[in-house]
Amino acid sequence: MANNLRADITGLRAVAVLAVTAFHIDYVLLPQVQFIPGGFLGVDIFFVISGYLMTMIIMRGLDQGNFSVLKFYQRRAKRICPALLLTVTVTFLFGLFVLSPNELEMLCREAGKALMFISNFYFAHRDSYFEASAFDHLLLHTWSLSVEWQFYFVYPFALLLANKFLSRQNVARLVVICLLASLVFACVYTTINARSSYYMLSSRAFELLFGALAYFYPLGTKLSSAQQRIMHFSAWLVS
């Protein structure tokens, strides 16, 4: 496992975690200062990373002929569910001592939605992520995990189907089309219902698909080709 560790992706994750953590600490303790007003974008970084990794896992498995949907879900569950369950449990125990009965009841509802990976739907019908009242929801942060899992429920089957009937090049083009469609939808839906748009997979899918785009069209390959052309041109000038 350690041999497969990507230092660049691990670094991006660290940046995302620090940005989101700093944003929330700043927002709660020093709202008038706002040292890192855009720190919440760490969530978007996570979505892009997740889209890239899921695409890489699925496509490499398909190329090698050993991809299993069941094993895919088992690995995701093994990686995510224990930490989620621990977070919900610790938060509930904390709530037993400090929350009122009504607040504890709300926390139990949030915990149930989080464990079913539908908390984004729950919060979309309540407070905006950036309203002060949103911080009354102790499990608000689970909305992004729900979005990711909903993506996991759809994406493997979509790639399996596309890979069966399309060439690799056309699969990549299909990803671009879906990305653009989701981006346009997000832009339009945000003007209609910004709060719901913020939490929904339908208007967040383009971020995950940006990760898929990075897999199908790696920038490193393009840069390498450009560097080769520059080297050839330089050699021609010298000669």
Side-chain angles (χ1 to χ4, degrees), residues 55-101:
T55 304
M56 180 178 66
I57 291 170
I58 296 169
M59 296 309 298
R60 286 185 178 178
L62 291 174
D63 289 341
Q64 297 167 6
N66 59 4
F67 178 73
S68 167
V69 174
L70 180 59
K71 289 182 179 179
F72 174 83
Y73 288 129
Q74 287 176 338
R75 290 170 182 164
R76 302 280 71 71
K78 185 178 180 180
R79 186 178 183 89
I80 294 173
C81 291
L84 175 62
L85 184 59
L86 178 63
T87 299
V88 170
T89 301
V90 171
T91 304
F92 176 74
L93 293 175
F94 171 78
L96 285 176
F97 294 98
V98 302
L99 298 181
S100 67

Side-chain angles (χ1 to χ4, degrees), residues 34-184:
Q34 293 188 352
F35 286 113
I36 308 179
F40 60 90
L41 292 175
V43 175
D44 304 85
I45 296 174
F46 265 111
F47 282 152
V48 175
I49 292 173
S50 181
Y52 175 82
L53 291 176
M54 294 310 102
T55 304
M56 180 178 66
I57 291 170
I58 296 169
M59 296 309 298
R60 286 185 178 178
L62 291 174
D63 289 341
Q64 297 167 6
N66 59 4
F67 178 73
S68 167
V69 174
L70 180 59
K71 289 182 179 179
F72 174 83
Y73 288 129
Q74 287 176 338
R75 290 170 182 164
R76 302 280 71 71
K78 185 178 180 180
R79 186 178 183 89
I80 294 173
C81 291
L84 175 62
L85 184 59
L86 178 63
T87 299
V88 170
T89 301
V90 171
T91 304
F92 176 74
L93 293 175
F94 171 78
L96 285 176
F97 294 98
V98 302
L99 298 181
S100 67
N102 289 337
E103 291 172 333
L104 188 60
E105 181 182 354
M106 181 176 69
L107 176 60
C108 289
R109 286 198 299 270
E110 293 177 12
K113 305 297 183 183
L115 292 174
M116 291 188 291
F117 300 108
I118 56 173
S119 62
N120 58 324
F121 289 97
Y122 177 81
F123 293 121
H125 291 90
R126 281 156 181 82
D127 300 311
S128 168
Y129 185 82
F130 298 99
E131 291 177 2
S133 57
F135 288 90
D136 295 333
H137 303 290
L138 296 181
L139 294 174
L140 176 65
H141 59 285
T142 64
W143 74 268
S144 60
L145 191 59
S146 295
V147 169
E148 282 203 46
W149 264 96
Q150 290 158 23
F151 181 72
Y152 296 162
F153 289 144
V154 176
Y155 194 56
F157 296 103
L159 278 186
L160 278 169
L161 189 62
N163 191 68
K164 183 176 181 180
F165 296 103
L166 300 175
S167 65
R168 177 59 56 87
Q169 187 177 31
N170 285 332
V171 171
R173 289 170 177 168
L174 181 61
V175 166
V176 174
I177 292 172
C178 292
L179 186 158
L180 293 175
S182 175
L183 179 59
V184 170

